[in-house]
Amino acid sequence: MSQLDTYRSSVIRKREEIARLTSDLSKEQAKIPPLQKKINAANDSIKRTKSDSVIKSKLREIEQAQKSIADTNKRCVDLQKKIAQKDKELSDLEKKVRQEEDRERKKKEEEEKRRAHESAQQMASVERTLREHSIAQLQMQEDIERLKAIPEKITILFMASNPLDTTRLRLDEEVRSIQEKIRSSEYRDSIIFESRWAMRSSDILQAINETNPTIIHFSGHGADTGEIVLQNPDGSARLVSKEAIAAAISTASDTVRLVTFNACFSEEQAKSVVAFVDAAIGMNDSIPDDTACVFAAQLYSSIGFGFSVEKAFRQAIAELLLEGISGDNIPQLYAKDGVDLTDLVLVDPEAKEVPYR
């Protein structure tokens, strides 16, 4: 017999006990009205008679009836207590029945879930087996398409400007550092490095059209209002707005994937151009020369090892920390909506014998 059956049998017995006690209580309570009637009759007799012997006899009858009523009331109280106790025991048993029913129901539900889960796993296993071949083919096709999207070689267009009326920057040192790092990278033959100096606003589109770059690198001064500092024909400074730079990029080569503004306060420029290119880097503050050189050199070195733009950026930040150079929090990387920078690889590891210039 299960535990639930045991509890249910106990409930039935307890109800039978309560029924017997209730019946006994009713029988005892039924004894009281006749005794009370007998008392009332005796009292009436006493009122009508003057005989002492009759009075004494009736008083004895009253006393005996009252004693019987008291005894009966006591038995009723005892029965009521027993009924109350049995009611409590019955309530406890009924609670156990409900709990055991819930437990068995949950157990059955769990068993059904387990069987359903096992069945689903078996079906899923069959479906996985059927899909494995087609998934592998799709993955292979995606990898092929991704590699096709990576050019056999890329061009980094370095555009520098340091007007005569601005603080002198070590732009030549930045170029030297970038070139040395690229030469040391694994896929250096996949990278063409082009530089343009003393850039004027009118030179930007010309340089882009000539080189058809994958990466554009602006190096020079930036204004704290967000403009890039280029120069006039006489060598003086000229501020170019982020809107103008964004407009130039939007109409330039469709091969541009990354734009780096290695200039002070150029974060807003980066935010503007990611509407037209996959990724952009800008500076959220004034950036020291050594920070700019080390950051840019490591960025393009990591790209030259075939790493994603996201990983290359993180390695460039890490290089600043390793060199103990301040400003690791200044460069900021932004992505075009829908572009995952962890998948954005600019150098094709399969490209061979592409001349480095």
Side-chain angles (χ1 to χ4, degrees), residues 245-268:
I245 294 294
I249 297 297
S250 70
T251 60
S253 169
D254 57 6
T255 64
V256 178
R257 309 292 298 281
L258 170 65
V259 180
T260 301
F261 294 95
N262 209 15
C264 302
F265 309 108
S266 55
E267 182 178 16
E268 292 303 318

Side-chain angles (χ1 to χ4, degrees), residues 6 10 28 44 72 86 133 146 164-165 182 190 192 248 261:
T6 300
S10 298
E28 290 297 325
D44 290 340
T72 301
K86 297 298 179 182
H133 183 65
R146 183 177 61 83
L164 297 175
D165 52 356
I182 291 175
S190 297
I192 298 172
F261 294 95

Side-chain angles (χ1 to χ4, degrees), residues 289-308:
D289 264 359
D290 55 351
T291 302
C293 288
V294 171
F295 173 79
Q298 184 58 52
L299 176 71
Y300 300 126
S301 172
S302 298
I303 287 175
F305 275 93
F307 297 146
S308 68

Side-chain angles (χ1 to χ4, degrees), residues 56-99:
K56 287 180 181 180
S57 174
K58 295 302 179 182
L59 287 174
R60 283 195 299 272
E61 288 180 9
I62 291 172
E63 184 179 356
Q64 290 174 352
Q66 288 175 335
K67 183 176 182 303
S68 295
I69 289 174
D71 292 341
T72 301
N73 282 331
K74 184 176 181 301
R75 288 193 295 273
C76 287
V77 170
D78 290 340
L79 288 168
Q80 287 170 340
K81 288 180 179 179
K82 288 180 181 180
I83 291 171
Q85 178 62 35
K86 297 298 179 182
D87 280 338
K88 183 179 181 304
E89 293 172 0
L90 175 61
S91 177
D92 292 341
L93 283 170
E94 289 174 336
K95 182 178 179 181
K96 288 180 179 179
V97 168
R98 290 193 297 272
Q99 290 175 338

